Amino acid sequence: MKQLLVFFLSFCFSYAVSAQENNEVLFNKGMDAFNQKDYATSVKIFNDLVKIDSLNSVLHYNLGTAYLHMQNTGLSIYHLEKSLKLQPGYEPARINLNFAEKLKTKVTKGNLPIPQQQMLYSVFNFLKPNSWAYLAIGSMVLSVLVLIGYRFSQNATAKKLLFATSIFLLIVSTGSYFISENQSGYLLSNHYVIIKDTDVVLMQEPRTVSKITSTLTEGDKAFIKEETNQWVKIQLQNDTIGWVEKNNVLMY
């Protein structure tokens, strides 16, 4: 039984290493294709990698940049915005996003609402959600071990120190857990949309026979206010509010 367990763990480790190596090979092929200006191949490879690791800001940056060279405005803006959502301080993505915005046929002025989760994410983004979760688990285990030491210690000064340390580690564990939950919730939730097609109509009500509020262009960005199975209610940068069909937008 022990040998079987060792074999299983070795297999899992080998599989993980092999998968990582395969991803690195694919990444290098995508970069080679990009450097050779074969942007279509580069897009295909990075799309495959994004399906494997959807929360990788570098992959979204590379994909958005490849789409930028193909002058695919909507998809370029979407992936560059996604890259910045995952890594707010990623300056190369911000620079290329500015270039992508210039490809739009119509520039809309104004600012969109900022989700509360985004502000908290930006403050605690020096660690990723998984790292915060590991910190929560590790500090909880340490808190229990220190509390056991407190229970068996005979020295009054040591007992006070151990008890205070245990409480501190418990606070760290609880805080790290809530930060991890907030980070994960922000990354996995959709707050904005990018219009992926030209001449998309914004409706006053979530139905095809409703009054048309305005016409949107490829690459327009909007804030999500409400969703149904087929429609999403959005707020544009000029504060116009209306409904658009989900198949016309990319949500992130």
Side-chain angles (χ1 to χ4, degrees), residues 112-113 115 189-194 221-227 231-236 246 249-252:
L112 294 173
S189 300
N190 295 316
H191 298 97
Y192 299 100
V193 299
I194 297 294
K221 182 180 176 181
F223 181 75
I224 298 173
K225 296 186 70 67
E226 191 178 338
E227 287 184 62
W231 297 82
V232 55
K233 187 178 184 180
I234 59 175
Q235 177 181 336
L236 301 175
K246 283 186 175 180
V249 301
L250 297 164
M251 305 173 69
Y252 70 97

Side-chain angles (χ1 to χ4, degrees), residues 11 24 35 47 70 78 93 113 126-127 134 139 157 160 192 203 206 223 226 239 243:
F11 173 79
E24 289 180 4
N35 292 331
N47 261 318
M70 296 174 68
Y78 167 73
F126 54 89
L127 288 180
Y134 294 144
S139 52
T157 303
K160 290 179 180 179
Y192 299 100
M203 314 297 285
F223 181 75
E226 191 178 338
D239 291 332
W243 294 84

Side-chain angles (χ1 to χ4, degrees), residues 161-233:
L161 180 62
L162 289 170
F163 182 78
T165 303
S166 177
I167 295 299
F168 171 75
L169 289 170
L170 183 61
I171 293 171
V172 170
S173 177
T174 304
S176 298
Y177 169 78
F178 283 110
I179 292 171
S180 175
E181 283 290 298
N182 175 81
Q183 305 287 70
S184 299
Y186 171 67
L187 292 178
L188 298 175
S189 300
N190 295 316
H191 298 97
Y192 299 100
V193 299
I194 297 294
I195 305 301
K196 66 178 183 179
D197 300 309
T198 56
D199 299 326
V200 173
V201 291
L202 187 70
M203 314 297 285
Q204 197 172 57
E205 300 291 338
R207 53 178 185 268
T208 54
V209 294
S210 176
K211 179 182 177 181
I212 296 176
T213 302
S214 62
T215 302
L216 309 177
T217 60
E218 182 185 8
D220 280 349
K221 182 180 176 181
F223 181 75
I224 298 173
K225 296 186 70 67
E226 191 178 338
E227 287 184 62
T228 68
N229 290 334
Q230 183 182 352
W231 297 82
V232 55
K233 187 178 184 180

Side-chain angles (χ1 to χ4, degrees), residues 57 60-62 64-65 68 76-77 79-102 114 118 121-122 125 186 221 252:
S57 61
H60 283 286
Y61 163 74
N62 289 335
T65 303
L68 175 61
S76 175
I77 291 176
H79 285 288
L80 291 170
E81 288 279 14
K82 183 81 172 178
S83 177
L84 285 169
K85 177 179 181 179
L86 296 166
Q87 191 174 338
Y90 196 19
E91 194 59 25
R94 193 173 302 282
I95 292 171
N96 282 0
L97 178 60
N98 289 334
F99 283 115
E101 292 280 357
K102 293 177 182 178
I114 298 176
Q118 180 178 336
Y121 179 83
S122 299
N125 190 41
Y186 171 67
K221 182 180 176 181
Y252 70 97

